[in-house]
Amino acid sequence: MLPRGRPRALGAVALLLVLLLLVGFFLFGGDPEYGLRAAASIDEDPHRNHNLSASVLQLPLSPKCELLQVAIVCAGYNSSREVVTLVKSVLFYRKNPLHLHLVTDAVARSILDTLFRTWMVPAMVVSFYDAEELKPLISWIPNKHYSGFYGLMKLVLPSALPLSLARVIVLDTDVTFASDIAELWALFAHFSDEQVIGLVENQSNWYLGNLWKNHRPWPALGRGFNTGVILLRLDQLRQAGWEQMWKPTAKRELLTLSATSLADQDILNAVIKEHPELVQPLPCVWNVQLSDHTLAERCYLEAADLKVIHWNSPKKLRVKNKHAEFFRNLYLTFLGYDGRLLRRELFGCPSQLPPGAEQLQQALAQLDEEDPCFEFQQQQLTMYRVHITFLPHQPPPPRPHDVTLVAQLSMDRLQMLEALCRHWPGPMSLALYLTDAEAQQFLHFVETSAVLSARQDVAYHVVYREGSLYPINQLRNVALAQALTPYVFLSDIDFLPAYSLYDYLRASIEQLELGSRRKAALVVPAFETLHYRFSFPTSKAELLALLDEGSLYTFRYHEWPRGHMPTDYARWRQARAPYRVQWAADYEPYVVVPHDCPRYDPRFVGFGWNKVAHIIELDAQEYELLVLPEAFTIHLPHAPSLDISRFRSSPTYRDCLQALKEGFHQDLSRHYGASALKYLTALQQPRSPA
């Protein structure tokens, strides 16, 4: 016989089941079974109660133009790439202005400052905070997690971020958004007066301590919480004395635990265990965790839609999960998404344009689209997104006469990289003109190449493609600006230098006492072969033999001899010491110059006169032109580029190039006065293909 109170209790359970069925029907796509599954889970898993109740919240979006604050800790080369994909996913869905607060090391600061400045996204402000200044605050905490001490820095955000900042969303770099971040921001409205931290329950049994024998995790409330997505009420945390809460807790637990295993997450969970009133559980869909032991399937198989995917396994995209392909495709969508398409304004939200954007818009508005040279004019005004040091890079140790090879390339020249690395053992700075998708293909190409992956002294800088003309001098300037040695060898990607050239150049620079005592450009004589396979000469004597037998030629002697004629190849054959040559119209040698040399003129896009203009600038600044007697570089054959094909076939293209030349000479005259008159003859000669 049942106790008298039991029927009443069963009636209450029945009423709850009916309510859950109705909730499932109206909120989850008309699926009444969701309510049954949810009800069953109350008894099956008591640790999920708070997460379940949060998962059915229906929330209004934040006001249309409210500024949303987002904080991210980012350090190193790989993390800088990850944060770009994260930001792309946020920008794709966002409808509100954003302020990104980035806590970075020096590497990430340099990369991301350049990237966001050149990305020029409207209604997005970026502020940087030096991780080195925060390091002493958390470096005393032993941490086994692969994130190192950077994984602990979220603990000190309340003191690191401006006091005027009351609320912030904190994100790990390995999350991907599948919804408007304003929906997440709106969850702040459901915090009670005591709740200061919003978190999603940890979707594994890590904190239950039963994953393996002798597994001893940090204390947590039930399954604990994951800190890949956090809502912080900074003002309330400061008032509550946050530092006096987490530090004593961490010190006490470290008396019996040797280190944190999950960085800040362990300490936050220990604090919440003591003060459960601090936490506002968030719906599971705002942090779907794809860890090695994930239970996230319980969330995403029941949810109407997912909001944030979190790749919180050290294996990242290679994590073992039967639904991994679905989530991977979402991530890859943003990985290869064209970032320039995210430069869209938020209509109806007054916001300050990025620096320089208004001037660019005004200049573009003044162009005449009917002008035959509109394409050239528009390309000159393009702001290219630039991601410097796209891959991990080890800067060369300081050497007084060191030389960096500087070049640029597009996707169709990737095959040259391995051969170039074999020929040039010194540092290189290479600018690549790629789409977002091609950048990922390039990354895979390097990672799977034994030759390229072994070279940490090659810096790759991605300039994202925009427009139809190849911005050759802009690319050269990016690569040149990122060179870290006192001297640079200004080359092209389809040239292979002599095997001994790197050592020979350094010795020559020292011998000639270049630098402050002598202002010179060292000319490296250029040759070419028409054979795709040939035996590369190991010495000047071997090169001369190949030249005599017709396997090699002086560069472009049959198409444009004026480009390299002043090098005086006949004299070079006999030379034993460097010799000086004079500038001549259309001269375009490959040279070694100090790193602080004049930059290339970015107006020259596509094909024609890009190097010629640079050599004119060097001559105008009184650089000696010294030909090195033992130096050489050889051009390898390849299919003509689209730009050279257009140059050869289109009179309009050549007319536009002529207009660029005239503008260049006018600027030269204004800058150098009467001394620039001699360069006027360059415009009176037959049109060069340089």
Side-chain angles (χ1 to χ4, degrees), residues 305-376:
D305 57 36
L306 305 180
K307 306 294 187 181
V308 176
I309 310 303
H310 186 188
W311 302 91
N312 62 322
S313 164
K315 301 171 186 173
K316 300 306 176 187
L317 267 65
R318 294 186 295 273
V319 66
K320 300 291 186 182
N321 183 295
K322 63 182 178 181
H323 300 113
E325 192 65 23
F326 169 80
F327 297 110
R328 213 164 12 240
N329 287 339
L330 174 66
Y331 178 84
L332 294 176
T333 297
F334 293 111
L335 192 66
Y337 190 81
D338 189 343
R340 68 189 173 95
L341 301 179
L342 298 168
R343 286 172 172 161
R344 52 177 184 251
E345 294 186 32
L346 299 180
F347 294 108
C349 288
S351 58
Q352 187 176 358
L353 291 173
E358 187 173 359
Q359 293 88 333
L360 274 178
Q361 289 178 357
Q362 292 172 353
L364 286 167
Q366 293 173 3
L367 298 182
D368 180 5
E369 294 188 24
E370 302 301 320
D371 190 311
C373 297
F374 172 76
E375 185 181 16
F376 283 81

Side-chain angles (χ1 to χ4, degrees), residues 494-525:
D494 40 13
F495 280 82
L496 288 181
Y499 287 108
S500 60
L501 186 60
Y502 174 60
D503 291 333
Y504 175 62
L505 290 178
R506 290 187 298 161
S508 298
I509 290 168
E510 183 176 12
Q511 180 183 359
L512 293 168
E513 298 183 331
L514 299 188
S516 59
R517 299 187 62 178
R518 192 172 188 182
K519 194 175 182 181
L522 306 182
V523 175
V524 177

Side-chain angles (χ1 to χ4, degrees), residues 98 174 247 266 281 306 309 329 414 487 667:
L98 296 173
D174 56 358
K247 271 190 175 181
D266 284 340
L306 305 180
I309 310 303
N329 287 339
L414 281 187
Y487 296 89
D667 291 343

Side-chain angles (χ1 to χ4, degrees), residues 6 34 63 103 169 187 222 230 306 345 433 446 574 596 642 651 676:
R6 189 63 178 265
Y34 179 86
V103 179
I169 296 172
L187 293 172
I230 313 176
L306 305 180
E345 294 186 32
Y433 193 50
V446 173
Q574 308 299 325
D596 61 357
L642 176 62

Side-chain angles (χ1 to χ4, degrees), residues 232-292:
L232 287 183
R233 292 180 66 182
L234 297 171
D235 51 354
Q236 301 283 30
L237 279 168
R238 294 174 187 127
Q239 289 178 21
W242 172 243
E243 186 174 341
Q244 286 70 44
M245 296 176 71
W246 73 263
K247 271 190 175 181
T249 300
K251 289 177 179 178
R252 185 184 67 246
E253 296 301 330
L254 286 170
L255 294 175
T256 55
L257 294 162
S258 62
T260 60
S261 295
L262 301 179
D264 67 285
Q265 183 170 302
D266 284 340
I267 296 174
L268 276 169
N269 273 291
V271 172
I272 291 170
K273 174 77 171 179
E274 290 184 39
H275 305 279
E277 71 280 1
L278 297 179
V279 69
Q280 164 66 48
L282 303 181
C284 65
V285 292
W286 284 107
N287 187 350
V288 177
Q289 302 147 40
L290 301 181
S291 62
D292 293 326

